[in-house]
Amino acid sequence: MYSEKVMDHFKNPRNVGEIPDADGVGEVGNPVCGDTTKIYLKIEENIINDIKFKTFGCGAAIASSSMLTEMAKGKTIEEALQITDQAVADMLDGLPPQKMHCSNMAADAMHKAIENYRLKKEALTKIV
């Protein structure tokens, strides 16, 4: 049912945790299954230097979040925004159709974290 990559990222998730002084945070939940994903970003000079996640959910949700963090780390904000749910699923060698919402949550949470970062940055420039 799951690829070796999904099982590897589920059993050995990368970049798990929080960034206390994160530059951007995004959270997405799925009301149907109850899964939630929260993404934390540390951004310097438009590059994602650190990214961590906390996911409450099934193996596919954890694997999707783990893979997403690996894909986004070191990328510019613009490059990270190009990462889609399908790209995450493809990097995991596919997800069953009923689990595609897991890759949606990971990508959507990162996009929300980037939006949060931009809003914070915009607010700071208005103060200065």
Side-chain angles (χ1 to χ4, degrees):
M1 183 167 167
Y2 289 121
S3 71
E4 285 183 33
K5 281 187 182 178
V6 171
M7 293 308 295
D8 179 42
H9 277 269
F10 167 61
K11 292 179 180 177
N12 307 293
R14 284 71 151 174
N15 306 303
V16 176
E18 297 178 26
I19 301 174
D21 61 340
D23 296 317
V25 179
E27 186 170 15
V28 174
N30 184 315
V32 175
C33 66
D35 292 357
T36 61
T37 295
K38 195 168 192 176
I39 299 283
Y40 302 83
L41 300 174
K42 199 69 177 158
I43 299 170
E44 289 181 34
E45 296 184 20
N46 204 45
I47 295 179
I48 298 173
N49 281 346
D50 198 9
I51 179 170
K52 297 209 179 302
F53 78 92
K54 290 188 94 173
T55 293
F56 175 82
C58 65
I62 293 166
S64 293
S65 297
S66 175
M67 179 58 82
L68 177 275
T69 63
E70 290 287 284
M71 294 170 71
K73 191 179 275 188
K75 298 254 190 301
T76 66
I77 291 172
E78 293 73 24
E79 290 168 333
L81 285 170
Q82 299 303 311
I83 298 173
T84 64
D85 54 334
Q86 188 61 55
V88 173
D90 290 347
M91 287 296 288
L92 288 167
D93 293 336
L95 288 172
Q98 69 272 23
K99 294 295 183 176
M100 277 303 292
H101 69 276
C102 296
S103 61
N104 290 354
M105 281 194 339
D108 289 351
M110 181 190 62
H111 293 167
K112 282 192 170 193
I114 290 170
E115 180 182 333
N116 177 251
Y117 163 73
R118 286 181 165 167
L119 289 172
K120 284 182 181 178
K121 191 175 174 185
E122 187 179 300
L124 283 175
T125 56
K126 286 181 179 177
I127 293 171
V128 175

